[in-house]
């Protein structure tokens, strides 16, 4: 299938939160660096009635809020605004939709990308209507935001609905973590260096931890979040994608089929958490009032304004049943209102097989790949503590530290959507999620929900500003490990 750089980007839900925070600032970043296809036109649509000037104002304000002042340039902001158009349309309003599709036809010069940044329950409806309007044929692609459904059944429903109109190669399911520089760098570290690969397996690695900790609460998205919770909002997508990239076999090529074929093998090898193991392999938590960096913050229920049993923290012990990872626990952990923001992958190597230093404490080596807030790679090694050692050698753990933020200080940090937009506009699906990945991930997560239901698991409380409920510590210490904090 030949793809051409798209000439039209249609953003459904352009007045929404994601567009304001990420999408419009990303388009600005691309415009500023001259990376948008020359003739690209952007058509935004939302329920709100706005004329062209009011829409341009909204875009300017989004850029003002999100783009650092030293990167804002009126010439480029004007150039972006010159590409923008707006057409109001209620998705349940046939006449307005008709007018929108007419506008799309008028603006269309070549390939089109439709970016659906609406509630997922609209995805099938929008695609069906695009199909009926003759706007889903060759040269059209559709980008879908997460969450794809609420569970396996709803994901299948959405994927089937969208799949009746667009074939799989033209569906771009977004997981914005895949667009992050640090995540790309994880691939570079693994497959651009020969050093680690021989050690990257159960023979040499004792345990892996993947942490995505946030300090924020629900940020005014209470209605969405309360329906979703940490498992659906973060584990089903971002954490499992990080797990795939950490654990997958080397793909033969950096192309959509090769990479996604390796990721799906990891997801298919994830051992379902059996009902009997649910208590020892999973923890759900919900934050109560506490403090972060010395600032008092309310509890989840207070933020939400009602009682709730939704989990804002999840910790899991996962196993990948294949040759490479047999017996290695993968601990996954994510939560809101944690003490600090950190996205990190931690691989602990096995201990030295025999110590020649008597009783000296020798900690195992570890590799820490920090993706956020700054990119950093640290290799933890044991070094002799300076001294004359009359009563035996002592060791200190030291870090071979690579501060990528400092190394590439002069290079602008890009938003994930800059890369994702460019890829979708150019028709490269490598960093997007394939149907089978979303569905197999849901299946695994649904199994945990079923186990929780059967065992009557309710989230345990943890004060905001801590690393989750005490039972999260038990989950890992039971195996003789501890969380990296
Ligand atoms: C989103 C979740 O997908 O990712 C949010 O819906 C979460 O709840 C966000 O805060 C985290 O993304 P990032 O890029 O800030 O790590």
């Amino acid at each position: 299938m030949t793809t051409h750089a798209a000439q039209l980007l249609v953003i459904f839900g352009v007045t929404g939160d994601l567009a304001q925070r990420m999408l419009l600032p990303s388009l600005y970043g691309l415009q500023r660096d001259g990376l948008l296809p020359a003739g690209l036109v952007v058509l935004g649509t939302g329920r709100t009635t706005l004329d062209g000037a009011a829409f341009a104002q909204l875009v300017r304000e989004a850029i003002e809020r999100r783009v650092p002042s030293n990167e804002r340039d009126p010439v480029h902001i004007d150039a972006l605004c010159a590409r923008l158009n707006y057409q109001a349309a209620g998705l349940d309003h046939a006449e307005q939709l008709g007018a929108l599709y007419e506008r799309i036809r008028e603006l269309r010069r070549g390939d089109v990308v439709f970016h659906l940044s609406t509630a997922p329950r609209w995805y099938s409806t929008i695609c069906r209507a695009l199909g009926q309007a003759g706007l889903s044929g060759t040269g059209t692609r559709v980008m879908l935001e997460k969450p794809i459904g609420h569970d396996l059944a709803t994901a299948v429903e959405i994927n089937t609905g969208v799949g009746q109109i667009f074939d799989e190669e033209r569906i771009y399911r977004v997981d914005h973590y895949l667009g992050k520089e640090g995540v790309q760098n994880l691939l570079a570290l693994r497959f651009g260096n020969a050093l680690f690969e021989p050690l990257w397996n159960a023979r040499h690695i004792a345990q892996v931890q993947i942490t995505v900790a946030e300090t924020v609460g629900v940020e005014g998205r209470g209605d969405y979040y309360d329906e979703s919770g940490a498992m659906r909002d973060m584990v089903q997508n971002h954490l499992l994608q990080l797990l795939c990239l950490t654990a997958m076999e080397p793909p033969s090529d950096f192309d959509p089929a090769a990479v996604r074929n390796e990721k799906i093998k990891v997801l298919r090898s994830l051992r379902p958490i059996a009902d009997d193991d649910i208590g020892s392999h999973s923890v759900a938590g919900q934050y109560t009032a506490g403090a972060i960096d010395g600032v008092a913050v309310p509890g989840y229920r207070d933020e939400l304004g009602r009682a709730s049993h939704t989990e804002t923290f999840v910790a899991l012990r996962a196993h990948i049943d294949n040759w490479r990872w047999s017996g290695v626990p993968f601990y996954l952990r994510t939560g809101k209102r944690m003490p600090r923001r950190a996205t990190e992958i931690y691989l602990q190597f096995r201990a030295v097989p025999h110590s020649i230093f008597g009783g000296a404490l020798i900690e195992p080596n570890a590799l820490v790949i920090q993706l956020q807030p700054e990119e950093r790679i640290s290799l933890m090694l044991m070094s002799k503590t300076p001294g004359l050692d009359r009563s035996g050698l002592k060791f200190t753990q030291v870090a071979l530290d690579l501060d990528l933020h400092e190394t590439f200080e002069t290079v602008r940090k890009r938003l994930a959507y800059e890369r994702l937009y460019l890829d979708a506009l150019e028709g490269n699906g490598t960093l997007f999620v394939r149907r089978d990945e979303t569905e197999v991930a849901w299946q695994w997560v649904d199994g945990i929900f079923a186990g929780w239901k059967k065992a009557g698991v309710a989230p345990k409380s943890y004060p905001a500003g801590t690393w989750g409920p005490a039972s999260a510590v038990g989950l890992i210490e039971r195996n003789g490990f501890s969380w990296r904090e």
Side-chain angles (χ1 to χ4, degrees):
M1 190 175 57
T2 3
T3 39
H4 305 278
Q7 296 295 304
L8 177 60
L9 169 66
V10 183
I11 306 176
F12 288 79
V14 79
T15 51
D17 181 59
L18 181 70
Q20 307 299 301
R21 284 190 303 117
M22 295 290 168
L23 310 184
L24 297 167
S26 297
L27 285 176
Y28 170 73
L30 294 173
Q31 169 72 47
R32 179 172 170 268
D33 293 350
L35 294 171
L36 289 176
L40 181 82
V41 169
V42 181
L43 172 62
T45 175
R47 198 173 280 280
T48 322
T49 311
L50 295 172
D51 61 17
F55 180 55
Q57 185 53 27
L58 185 125
V59 174
R60 285 174 197 279
E61 282 167 15
I63 294 171
E64 183 93 5
R65 268 194 309 273
R66 302 297 298 193
V67 178
S69 55
N70 61 340
E71 291 173 19
R72 293 197 299 256
D73 179 332
V75 174
H76 295 302
I77 297 178
D78 287 348
L80 178 65
C81 288
R83 294 178 187 265
L84 299 177
N85 300 268
Y86 182 81
Q87 176 86 31
L91 297 172
D92 47 1
H93 198 298
E95 209 173 301
Q96 292 177 358
L97 273 186
L100 172 68
Y101 294 145
E102 198 41 54
R103 187 84 184 272
I104 295 174
R105 271 191 289 267
E106 269 167 38
L107 291 173
R108 184 172 180 185
R109 298 280 174 274
D111 279 15
V112 189
V113 170
F114 299 106
H115 183 184
L116 312 193
S117 171
T118 66
R121 69 193 144 88
W122 290 107
Y123 292 172
S124 306
T125 317
I126 297 173
C127 291
R128 213 173 312 117
L130 286 170
Q132 280 159 4
L135 289 167
S136 63
T138 313
T140 62
R141 309 189 261 290
V142 63
M143 272 171 89
L144 305 178
E145 280 303 321
K146 71 165 256 280
I148 305 289
H150 188 75
D151 52 17
L152 177 61
T154 46
V156 168
E157 207 174 294
I158 293 174
N159 283 331
T160 306
V162 175
Q164 279 163 355
I165 310 296
F166 293 90
D167 32 56
E168 182 61 30
E169 296 83 80
R170 293 190 291 129
I171 302 175
Y172 291 66
R173 291 178 196 79
V174 176
D175 182 314
H176 79 282
Y177 269 55
L178 295 182
K180 286 180 186 279
E181 195 63 42
V183 176
Q184 308 293 301
N185 208 19
L186 169 61
L187 296 179
L189 180 80
R190 282 199 63 195
F191 305 124
N193 295 285
L195 193 64
F196 297 110
E197 178 53 24
L199 303 177
W200 211 265
N201 55 52
R203 222 165 313 130
H204 300 284
I205 291 178
Q207 58 138 342
V208 180
Q209 296 179 19
I210 300 180
T211 298
V212 182
E214 298 183 276
T215 52
V216 292
V218 289
E219 299 183 290
R221 300 153 75 221
D223 286 340
Y224 154 75
Y225 192 85
D226 200 51
E227 282 286 300
S228 181
M231 184 80 95
R232 295 185 170 94
D233 187 49
M234 300 293 288
V235 176
Q236 190 272 343
N237 33 79
H238 306 324
L239 273 93
L240 288 185
Q241 285 292 327
L242 292 178
L243 173 90
C244 285
L245 299 178
T246 307
M248 71 183 184
E249 296 300 316
S252 58
D253 212 340
F254 194 54
D255 78 23
V259 171
R260 299 191 289 190
N261 285 347
E262 295 309 333
K263 286 196 291 167
I264 191 72
K265 283 187 210 159
V266 174
L267 292 170
R268 291 216 168 100
S269 310
L270 266 178
R271 185 189 304 165
I273 298 184
D275 291 350
D276 286 349
D277 290 334
I278 209 82
S280 57
H281 286 56
S282 73
V283 170
Q286 188 189 75
Y287 61 85
T288 54
I292 295 176
D293 275 340
V295 179
V297 294
Y300 176 70
R301 294 178 190 198
D302 299 322
E303 265 185 73
L304 192 67
R306 57 176 186 268
S308 161
H309 291 296
T310 297
E311 79 289 351
T312 61
F313 171 92
V314 175
L316 299 171
R317 173 176 159 191
H319 280 274
I320 299 170
D321 285 334
N322 64 16
W323 272 43
R324 186 186 282 266
W325 295 115
S326 179
V328 179
F330 280 73
Y331 297 99
L332 311 180
R333 173 175 64 156
T334 184
K336 301 262 185 214
R337 295 290 193 214
M338 304 267 98
R340 63 183 172 91
R341 179 168 185 238
T343 302
E344 206 174 82
I345 300 166
Y346 170 77
L347 299 100
Q348 190 187 86
F349 293 92
R350 296 201 181 276
V352 289
H354 165 74
S355 171
I356 62 166
F357 302 109
L361 179 68
I362 304 182
E363 288 178 47
N365 298 133
L367 180 67
V368 188
I369 307 165
Q370 182 181 299
L371 311 172
Q372 293 186 133
E374 305 300 352
E375 273 185 80
R376 175 188 287 270
I377 297 170
S378 313
L379 186 59
M380 312 305 286
L381 303 173
M382 293 314 282
S383 162
K384 185 179 114 44
T385 315
L388 294 178
D389 316 308
R390 303 325 295 152
S391 51
L393 241 61
K394 290 207 175 51
F395 285 84
T396 303
Q397 194 178 50
V398 291
L400 237 175
D401 229 346
L402 191 58
D403 184 335
L404 296 164
H405 178 63
E406 209 177 276
T407 309
F408 298 109
E409 207 175 15
T410 53
V411 182
R412 177 168 75 83
K413 270 178 90 177
R414 293 186 178 278
L415 296 170
Y417 278 93
E418 294 186 44
R419 181 189 315 268
L420 296 176
Y421 263 149
L422 269 194
D423 282 359
L425 290 170
E426 287 166 6
N428 179 351
T430 311
L431 298 179
F432 295 86
V433 182
R434 203 166 62 187
R435 174 175 185 163
D436 48 1
E437 293 177 69
T438 49
E439 294 181 2
V440 175
W442 272 123
Q443 195 173 6
W444 190 71
V445 159
D446 279 1
I448 302 171
F449 278 120
W452 282 356
K453 196 166 168 199
K454 212 162 179 182
V457 170
K460 303 215 169 45
S461 53
Y462 64 96
T466 65
W467 288 100
S471 43
V473 175
L475 174 114
I476 190 163
E477 290 198 341
R478 204 169 289 129
N479 305 112
F481 299 122
S482 44
W483 293 110
R484 212 189 101 78
E485 277 167 18

